[in-house]
């Protein structure tokens, strides 16, 4: 039952993206989007991703609130860096080790980090659980520390929302 619900959700999500790309919510666009979504899911199936534990709504809401705050704050910082007089900011690649267990949550962490203005994930070391991030402002220790603090907060909330130790069990067996 759960796999059927996930497939229906995936078809609806792909059909919605198709309709948004066309820019008009019409019946033919929605139907064609659903047909394209089904064809994609049949011809290009993805391997199953093991999902464990429970979703904790309060932690998810906190994560969304923090993400929204970082979107606004980082956008303002980038705006200031773009218009302030002087040389352009120093950029660099920072290594962010994570304690995330699930590959799915690791990808979610990298997506959130990339969506926050001023940073982009260049590489994910899946084995060692490290993100390599290009960061726009690394000109002083305070800026670097702010980025690491931001990454730690996102990691803490992702773990609280999706993979608490009391509920985590490795795939295919007991802990």
């Amino acid at each position: 039952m759960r796999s059927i619900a996930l497939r229906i959700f995936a078809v609806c999500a792909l059909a919605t993206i198709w309709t948004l790309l066309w820019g008009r919510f019409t019946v033919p666009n929605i139907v064609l989007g659903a047909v394209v979504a089904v064809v994609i899911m049949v011809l290009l199936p993805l391997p199953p991703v093991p999902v464990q534990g429970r979703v904790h709504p309060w932690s998810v809401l906190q994560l969304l609130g923090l993400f929204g705050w970082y979107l606004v704050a980082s956008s303002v910082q980038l705006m200031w860096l773009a218009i302030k007089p002087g040389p352009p900011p120093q950029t660099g690649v920072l290594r962010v080790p994570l304690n995330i267990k699930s590959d799915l949550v690791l990808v979610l962490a990298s997506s959130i980090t990339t969506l926050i203005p001023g940073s982009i994930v260049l590489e994910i070391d899946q084995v060692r659980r490290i993100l390599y991030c290009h960061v726009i402002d690394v000109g002083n220790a305070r800026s670097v520390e702010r980025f690491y603090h931001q990454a730690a907060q996102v990691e803490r909330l992702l773990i609280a929302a999706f993979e608490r130790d009391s509920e985590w069990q490795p795939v295919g067996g007991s802990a």
Side-chain angles (χ1 to χ4, degrees):
M1 184 63 177
R2 182 177 180 185
S3 82
I4 293 171
L6 287 173
R7 289 178 190 264
I8 291 171
F9 175 76
V11 167
C12 291
L14 288 171
T16 301
I17 291 170
W18 174 271
T19 306
L20 289 171
L21 288 172
W22 279 100
R24 294 187 319 218
F25 281 96
T26 62
V27 173
N29 271 350
I30 294 169
V31 170
L32 188 57
V35 169
V36 169
V38 169
V39 168
I40 287 172
M41 292 189 64
V42 170
L43 296 180
L44 305 169
L46 293 173
V49 177
V51 179
Q52 304 161 7
R54 296 181 338 154
V55 175
H56 298 274
W58 177 245
S59 296
V60 171
L61 285 174
Q62 288 177 311
L63 178 65
L64 290 173
L66 182 73
F67 177 63
W69 166 253
Y70 280 147
L71 281 177
V72 172
S74 296
S75 296
V76 170
Q77 289 169 353
L78 281 179
M79 179 191 67
W80 172 245
L81 289 172
I83 63 173
K84 80 174 188 176
Q90 184 178 357
T91 63
V93 177
L94 299 178
R95 186 174 58 169
V96 181
L98 299 172
N99 292 316
I100 292 173
K101 299 173 188 105
S102 164
D103 289 343
L104 185 63
V105 178
L106 182 65
V107 169
L108 187 57
S110 70
S111 298
I112 290 171
T113 302
T114 295
L115 288 171
I116 295 172
S119 63
I120 186 167
V121 175
L122 301 174
E123 182 179 348
I124 302 172
D125 185 339
Q126 182 182 7
V127 174
R128 296 186 301 163
R129 301 296 196 213
I130 297 174
L131 300 180
Y132 293 91
C133 304
H134 181 269
V135 181
I136 287 193
D137 187 16
V138 295
N140 58 48
R142 188 172 139 238
S143 297
V144 172
E145 188 57 40
R146 181 174 51 232
F147 174 76
Y148 280 125
H149 177 72
Q150 173 180 312
Q153 280 189 305
V154 168
E155 176 189 24
R156 180 182 56 78
L157 286 173
L158 280 169
I159 289 171
F162 301 110
E163 55 180 41
R164 295 181 182 181
D165 285 335
S166 61
E167 300 165 358
W168 180 259
Q169 189 173 25
V171 176
S174 60

